Amino acid sequence: MANVLILGATSKVAGEVARLLKQRGARLFLVARNAERLACLVDELAPVGHYCCDLSDPTNHDGMLCAVRRAMPTIDHVLIAYGYLGDQLASERDYREADAMIRINFSSVVALLIPLLNQLETQGKGALTAITSVAGDRGRPRNYTYGAAKGALSLYLQGARSRLWKRGVRIHTIKMGPVDTPMTATHKKDFSFIDARSAARLIVHHMQGRGGVHYVPGFWRWVMLVVRNMPEPLFQRLRFLSGR
Ligand SMILES: NC(=O)c1ccc[n+]([C@@H]2O[C@H](COP(=O)([O-])OP(=O)(O)OC[C@H]3O[C@@H](n4cnc5c(N)ncnc54)[C@H](OP(=O)(O)O)[C@@H]3O)[C@@H](O)[C@H]2O)c1
């Protein structure tokens, strides 16, 4: 994994992934929205390049991708880590919140995937990893707007994976369970939470393997198999699953 582009580098999980990759000798290009926190990462990790922009606005993408091409003509791996949990209740009352959740977690990612996957296809090698969520496996009252956006992204990646596997391009979908990061700062931490470093170790492990869907941590694959296939009349009666 020589040249790695990280989109949303100031995410707690992405920062830990970047540290692990740097230790393994990767050359990094870091993209994030928050200039101050990006500058701290640049000081720490000495990437070959960095760029500060709001990734939810596709009009920023061309400038960013030009800067990446100048510093890194060949990309070995892209990690898409930025995301927005949003406010579920607000998204049920106000389309602007729902739109922000769908734009940040899905449509702006598609706008990035179009040029990036075409570049990897032209290169005939390389890989792309995107962090989606177990929330995308089943709509729940607690987070179904966010879940719908992440689920749509997982579906998009599934199609792209089958389009590109013959062209030497690996695509990894990371379906992550709860992780203790700023995104979940106000959430009550129960047994299901892991820390960002542990999540990053698992993600780096999967990034080096074959493309596919990877649950992080792995036990979510079996939990979500049950949750996904549970009949709605039963699901709706189980408060720990269908409550707010
Ligand atoms: N934490 C969890 O429990 C959990 C579970 C499943 C999946 N995920 C997903 O994991 C990924 C990493 O999140 P995290 O847990 O590490 O949370 P985090 O530390 O809060 O990171 C979220 C990152 O997304 C960035 N971001 C949001 N909107 C952006 C935009 N428009 N342009 C550029 N960057 C933007 C944020 O930047 P700013 O600092 O500028 O806001 C922040 O760096 C996300 O895709 C998240 O949806 C998280």
Side-chain angles (χ1 to χ4, degrees):
M1 234 190 284
N3 290 333
V4 184
L5 167 63
I6 303 185
L7 302 172
T10 55
S11 121
K12 182 128 186 233
V13 171
E16 294 293 352
V17 170
R19 285 182 189 98
L20 292 171
L21 294 178
K22 182 75 189 179
Q23 283 166 16
R24 288 158 197 232
R27 300 167 80 244
L28 305 173
F29 193 105
L30 306 178
V31 181
R33 172 171 64 173
N34 183 301
E36 218 172 291
R37 281 194 284 122
L38 179 58
C40 290
L41 268 185
V42 168
D43 282 349
E44 180 190 342
L45 297 172
V48 295
H50 63 280
Y51 197 88
C52 187
C53 72
D54 180 342
L55 287 165
S56 73
D57 180 354
T59 63
N60 292 328
H61 293 176
D62 279 352
M64 182 271 291
L65 291 171
C66 278
V68 174
R69 260 177 238 120
R70 276 196 298 275
M72 204 176 250
T74 303
I75 301 176
D76 296 303
H77 211 120
V78 181
L79 172 65
I80 302 184
Y82 71 100
Y84 175 56
L85 184 57
D87 179 334
Q88 175 59 33
L89 293 177
S91 77
E92 292 167 25
R93 291 187 214 103
D94 185 345
Y95 174 66
R96 282 169 300 187
E97 177 66 0
D99 182 45
M101 290 157 83
I102 292 163
R103 191 162 23 84
I104 296 171
N105 293 305
F106 179 57
S107 42
S108 69
V109 182
V110 171
L112 286 162
L113 288 171
I114 291 169
L116 286 168
L117 291 177
N118 287 336
Q119 178 175 342
L120 295 181
E121 184 177 26
T122 306
Q123 287 178 187
K125 63 171 188 158
L128 183 139
T129 297
I131 307 179
T132 69
S133 171
V134 294
D137 273 11
R138 176 137 200 177
R140 301 171 62 197
R142 195 171 292 156
N143 57 13
Y144 63 85
T145 311
Y146 171 79
K150 289 292 197 183
L153 178 57
S154 295
L155 200 65
Y156 189 97
L157 294 167
Q158 184 180 48
R161 193 161 34 246
S162 290
R163 167 191 147 205
L164 291 168
W165 72 276
K166 283 189 224 139
R167 313 300 295 257
V169 178
R170 288 173 291 131
I171 298 180
H172 303 275
T173 304
I174 303 291
K175 291 192 176 179
M176 202 156 76
V179 182
D180 188 358
T181 68
M183 183 173 278
T184 54
T186 59
H187 295 204
K188 203 170 141 221
K189 305 296 177 304
D190 59 21
F191 70 93
S192 67
F193 273 79
I194 61 168
D195 61 80
R197 184 79 175 177
S198 306
R201 272 196 216 101
L202 292 167
I203 291 170
V204 170
H205 169 75
H206 292 310
M207 284 170 80
Q208 289 164 327
R210 290 176 56 188
V213 176
H214 314 290
Y215 284 81
V216 167
F219 69 80
W220 283 107
R221 178 177 297 278
W222 310 113
V223 174
M224 293 318 294
L225 184 69
V226 174
V227 172
R228 214 172 40 241
N229 292 301
M230 192 176 287
E232 264 187 17
L234 173 60
F235 185 86
Q236 286 160 357
R237 279 166 182 76
L238 296 177
R239 282 194 52 138
F240 70 98
L241 286 175
S242 60
R244 285 290 203 179

